[in-house]
């Protein structure tokens, strides 16, 4: 048992009210009446800068959200640091994990300091539990009445496996507080996907909705803020409207010129700025658009010519590349990167915007292998806004790193720099390289609603998110697994079991789509299986 830290506790329980404004009306001493304890667990700080990672900020946000539902919340913030950050940060007078959480709650959420208790001895989850139990026993010895207990951490930490060295937060705390003391009813997650839900039994592989026979996309076709399923199959445009809880039965909304499936690309995007997703078909000869009226698609019309690119190998993406509110067409082609800008009623001729990222470009700086040689087997090229300036940047997964080329305000792109690296001293884990595009999904998308695109990686057993800080991506290995089929406590076994390779999902055989299907402003994951369509909703606070 660890020694009690009476001096630390006395300081943490200071009765003085700080000048900070609180959105919780509290009396001079919250301990004068029964308290609702919000136990919030720390996370390793950046090892060199000693600043909190985005994941820790989101834990603090979730703790604050939970506290809003309580009568008299008091935060018990736990964590000294891991062995490395203790040496690089704490030993040099920098913050502990608990202190970092405290600063976030005070500076971002205006929590009063006398609502906060710090536990700064623990370095593991087991120690978190032991040390917080010591403090709670001391509180009760002093006559403090604890009305309720809440446990807050990230989703992976709450539900991860039950072996002795890497146990779930609930298991560690129940070992100290008693069996079933903490359950999903009083344990709260940040940075989480919700449990799997069946949203349709009519958009299935059995019904012909497979990459070999059709195209499926997500887009809000009726302007209600929720992304619907849009299907291109055998010349028919089919829509499954989202209710926010399910996809309704397929309805025919129009038709398109099916052409040769090998030389046509289909997309759903709002191209005329009316907040309705339209149906776009791009062939080697033309760009055809069927505009949505909110209840059907109009007849296809040509929005421009496309006779400069090879659709058997060029990468095409719909994105508002210049930030004018109109969706453009980005093309990664043989000798560089091109854009056909949207003029409101047509797409202009292609313009080269970068000599880099073409098929003949190298996949990594200082290496000779080209994208052409890789043939799209393991590399990725994509437009996305990673720094929140509303201009689309270029993200690429090479063989030796994940890179970003930022778009300048006046147009054009910077030299690519590595945004996920394990040698910058901050403790990030470089990963997601060499993954087969036939099996896995790697995509830059804003997972948290802060305007910055993160990396969403659907792998063999896990779904990982590497968060953008606006200057780099943060990734801490298994700490950031927000959805996993591996090493979980039993209560989670039946709730998260889709989308990854181990669940028999592949890019070749299944659709795995990303879009906001429930209207909460965050992208969810939709997967099409043999006999059903399943989703996991993004519940990031």
């Amino acid at each position: 048992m660890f020694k009690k830290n009476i001096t630390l506790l006395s300081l943490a329980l200071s009765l003085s009210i700080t000048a900070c404004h609180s959105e919780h009306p509290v009396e001079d001493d919250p301990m004068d009446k029964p308290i609702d304890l919000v136990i919030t667990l720390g996370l390793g700080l950046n090892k060199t800068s000693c600043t909190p990672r985005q994941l820790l900020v989101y834990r603090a946000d979730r703790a604050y959200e939970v506290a809003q539902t309580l009568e008299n919340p008091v935060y018990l913030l736990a964590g000294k640091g891991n062995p490395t950050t203790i040496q690089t940060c704490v030993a040099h007078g920098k913050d502990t994990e608990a202190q970092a959480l405290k600063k976030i709650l005070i500076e971002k959420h205006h929590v009063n300091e006398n609502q906060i208790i710090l536990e700064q001895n623990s370095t593991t989850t087991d120690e978190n539990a032991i040390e917080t139990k010591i403090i709670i026993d001391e509180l009760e010895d002093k006559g403090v009445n604890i009305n309720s207990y809440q446990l807050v951490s990230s989703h992976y930490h709450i539900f991860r496996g039950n072996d002795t060295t890497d146990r779930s937060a609930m298991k560690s705390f129940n070992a100290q507080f008693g069996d079933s003391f903490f359950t999903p009813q009083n344990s709260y997650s940040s940075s989480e996907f919700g449990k799997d839900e069946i949203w349709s039994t009519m958009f299935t592989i059995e019904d012909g909705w497979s990459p070999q026979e059709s195209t499926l996309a997500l887009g809000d076709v009726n302007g209600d803020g929720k992304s619907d399923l849009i299907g291109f199959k055998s010349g028919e445009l089919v829509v499954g409207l989202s209710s926010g809880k399910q996809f309704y039965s397929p309805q025919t909304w129009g038709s398109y010129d099916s052409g040769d499936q090998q030389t046509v690309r289909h997309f759903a995007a709002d191209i005329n700025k009316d907040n309705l997703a339209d149906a776009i078909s791009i062939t080697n000869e033309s760009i055809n658009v069927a505009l949505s009226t909110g209840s059907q698609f109009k007849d296809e019309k040509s929005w421009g010519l496309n006779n400069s690119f090879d659709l058997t190998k060029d990468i095409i993406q719909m994105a508002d590349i210049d930030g004018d509110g109109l969706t453009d067409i980005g093309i990664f082609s043989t000798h560089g990167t091109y854009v056909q800008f949207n003029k409101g009623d047509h797409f202009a001729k292609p313009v080269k915007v970068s000599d880099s990222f073409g098929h003949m470009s190298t996949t990594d700086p200082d290496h000779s292998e080209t994208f052409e040689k890789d043939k799209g087997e393991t590399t990725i090229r994509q437009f996305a806004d990673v720094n929140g300036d509303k201009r689309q940047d270029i993200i690429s997964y090479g063989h030796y790193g994940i890179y970003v080329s930022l778009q300048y305000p006046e147009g054009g792109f910077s030299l690519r720099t590595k945004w996920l690296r394990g040698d910058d001293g901050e403790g990030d884990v470089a990963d997601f390289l060499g993954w087969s595009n036939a099996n896995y999904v790697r995509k830059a998308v804003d997972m948290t609603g802060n305007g910055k695109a993160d990396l969403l990686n659907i792998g063999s057993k896990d779904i990982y998110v590497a968060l953008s800080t606006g200057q780099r991506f943060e990734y801490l290995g298994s700490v950031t697994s927000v959805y996993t089929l591996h090493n979980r406590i039993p209560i989670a076994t039946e709730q998260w079991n889709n989308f990854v390779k181990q669940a028999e999902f592949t890019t070749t055989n299944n659709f795995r789509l990303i879009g906001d299907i429930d209207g909460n402003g965050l992208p969810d994951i939709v997967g099409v299986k043999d006999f059903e369509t399943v989703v996991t909703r993004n519940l990031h606070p």
Side-chain angles (χ1 to χ4, degrees):
M1 185 62 69
F2 294 85
K3 295 181 179 179
K4 298 180 181 180
N5 194 330
I6 302 298
T7 301
L8 176 61
L9 179 59
S10 299
L11 289 173
L13 296 179
S14 170
L15 301 183
S16 62
I17 302 292
T18 68
C20 296
H21 169 71
S22 174
E23 296 180 14
H24 288 296
V26 295
E27 299 175 4
D28 286 354
D29 185 359
M31 307 296 172
D32 286 342
K33 61 179 182 179
I35 66 172
D36 298 293
L37 206 57
V38 184
I39 302 170
T40 308
L41 306 186
L43 172 80
L45 306 181
N46 287 300
K47 293 180 179 179
T48 300
S49 64
C50 301
T51 54
R53 295 177 182 273
Q54 291 294 316
L55 280 172
L56 189 64
V57 175
Y58 297 143
R59 287 189 190 183
D61 293 345
R62 182 60 164 147
Y64 179 74
E65 181 184 51
V66 170
Q68 304 311 292
T69 67
L70 305 173
E71 180 69 24
N72 186 27
V74 171
Y75 301 84
L76 176 47
L77 311 178
K80 181 177 184 179
N82 61 39
T84 301
T85 56
I86 289 173
Q87 294 176 10
T88 61
C89 297
V90 179
H92 296 279
K94 303 295 185 179
D95 286 343
T96 63
E97 295 171 3
Q99 288 170 326
L101 280 166
K102 176 181 176 179
K103 285 183 178 179
I104 297 166
L105 288 171
I106 290 176
E107 296 173 5
K108 182 176 181 179
H109 297 296
H110 311 298
V111 172
N112 276 312
E113 189 170 5
N114 71 339
Q115 291 177 267
I116 297 174
I117 302 170
L118 300 183
E119 181 285 297
Q120 300 182 98
N121 289 331
S122 60
T123 63
T124 67
T125 306
D126 281 347
E127 290 179 11
N128 287 158
I130 293 169
E131 292 291 335
T132 56
K133 185 64 165 62
I134 291 173
I135 290 177
I136 289 168
D137 288 344
E138 291 176 346
L139 289 174
E140 292 178 333
D141 288 345
K142 291 174 179 289
V144 175
N145 186 354
I146 302 176
N147 179 59
S148 68
Y149 294 80
Q150 286 68 222
L151 183 63
V152 179
S153 191
S154 60
H155 184 267
Y156 177 75
H157 197 192
I158 290 290
F159 289 104
R160 72 183 177 192
N162 56 1
D163 59 75
T164 56
T165 59
D166 191 26
R167 65 176 74 207
S168 74
M170 282 194 293
K171 186 173 179 65
S172 290
F173 273 76
N174 286 342
Q176 301 301 317
F177 288 78
D179 290 344
S180 300
F181 192 94
F182 289 100
T183 71
Q185 280 64 53
N186 65 340
S187 300
Y188 299 89
S189 300
S190 65
S191 308
E192 68 175 314
F193 286 113
K195 63 182 181 180
D196 299 341
E197 304 171 25
I198 297 175
W199 270 45
S200 175
T201 57
M202 297 184 181
F203 286 94
T204 68
I205 294 175
E206 182 72 13
D207 292 320
W209 295 107
S210 69
Q212 291 79 23
E213 301 177 77
S214 60
T215 297
L216 273 176
L218 287 174
D220 180 10
V221 297
N222 60 354
D224 65 355
K226 297 183 286 290
S227 289
D228 311 296
L229 275 177
I230 304 165
F232 299 76
K233 186 170 68 170
S234 302
E236 187 178 16
L237 290 171
V238 177
V239 169
L241 293 173
S242 170
S243 70
K245 295 182 179 180
Q246 65 175 328
F247 292 118
Y248 290 127
S249 300
Q251 299 176 334
T252 299
W253 271 42
S255 61
Y256 68 97
D257 183 4
S258 56
D260 181 358
Q261 185 72 16
Q262 298 301 313
T263 56
V264 63
R265 306 282 180 84
H266 300 297
F267 302 91
D270 175 17
I271 64 168
N272 59 349
K273 223 171 178 178
D274 63 355
N275 297 316
L276 303 174
D278 308 301
I280 303 102
S281 298
I282 300 177
T283 71
N284 277 329
E285 291 76 34
S286 64
I287 304 164
N288 300 315
V289 173
L291 295 173
S292 173
T293 67
S295 59
Q296 64 178 352
F297 291 116
K298 295 181 180 179
D299 292 340
E300 273 191 330
K301 289 187 177 181
S302 175
W303 268 51
L305 300 177
N306 179 36
N307 52 15
S308 303
F309 303 103
D310 182 357
L311 293 188
T312 63
K313 63 180 181 178
D314 289 351
I315 298 172
I316 311 294
Q317 183 185 345
M318 306 294 297
D320 179 14
I321 294 171
D322 57 359
D324 66 353
L326 294 169
T327 302
D328 309 301
I329 302 173
I331 307 107
F332 298 100
S333 193
T334 301
H335 297 293
T337 304
Y338 298 77
V339 175
Q340 291 191 247
F341 289 105
N342 187 340
K343 298 303 180 181
D345 59 0
H346 71 283
F347 291 101
K349 293 181 179 179
V351 176
K352 180 183 272 192
V353 295
S354 174
D355 290 326
S356 301
F357 305 104
H359 308 326
M360 301 308 296
S361 300
T362 57
T363 60
D364 301 78
D366 303 321
H367 292 277
S368 60
E369 185 170 346
T370 64
F371 288 105
E372 177 77 20
K373 184 177 180 180
D374 179 77
K375 299 185 184 303
E377 292 180 358
T378 64
T379 58
I380 300 282
R381 287 164 282 175
Q382 185 197 333
F383 287 99
D385 177 10
V386 298
N387 60 355
D389 64 358
K390 302 190 186 318
R391 290 185 294 272
Q392 300 285 303
D393 311 299
I394 299 175
I395 299 92
S396 67
Y397 289 70
H399 294 298
Y400 301 95
I402 299 173
Y403 308 94
V404 166
S405 180
L406 294 172
Q407 186 177 169
Y408 295 121
E410 65 276 10
F413 293 84
S414 69
L415 294 176
R416 57 187 169 181
T417 57
K418 191 178 288 187
W419 265 46
L420 184 60
R421 51 190 301 170
D423 59 356
D424 62 355
E426 294 292 20
D428 288 311
V429 179
D431 210 339
F432 319 123
L433 302 177
W435 288 22
S436 165
N437 290 330
N439 290 324
Y440 308 119
V441 173
R442 293 170 295 169
K443 186 176 179 64
V445 59
D446 179 10
M447 297 301 297
T448 66
N450 66 356
K452 302 181 185 72
D454 312 295
L455 301 181
L456 173 66
N457 304 280
I458 305 177
S460 179
K461 296 178 291 189
D462 301 281
I463 299 175
Y464 307 92
V465 176
L467 295 166
S468 172
T469 68
Q471 298 177 314
R472 65 186 179 94
F473 296 119
E474 291 182 338
Y475 172 61
L476 282 175
S478 61
V479 173
T480 60
S481 291
V482 291
Y483 181 114
T484 179
L485 271 65
H486 177 63
N487 194 24
R488 299 175 298 178
I489 61 175
I491 197 168
T493 301
E494 298 303 321
Q495 297 185 358
W496 292 274
N497 55 16
N498 282 287
F499 310 108
V500 297
K501 177 75 162 49
Q502 187 171 291
E504 300 183 349
F505 274 78
T506 68
T507 305
T508 302
N509 297 321
N510 304 85
F511 288 109
R512 287 174 287 187
L513 310 173
I514 315 299
D516 179 14
I517 60 174
D518 58 2
N520 71 346
L522 298 170
D524 312 296
I525 302 177
V526 177
V528 177
K529 302 176 66 175
D530 287 343
F531 302 105
E532 60 194 17
T533 297
V534 295
V535 309
T536 181
R537 288 194 272 174
N538 185 346
L539 302 180
H540 180 82

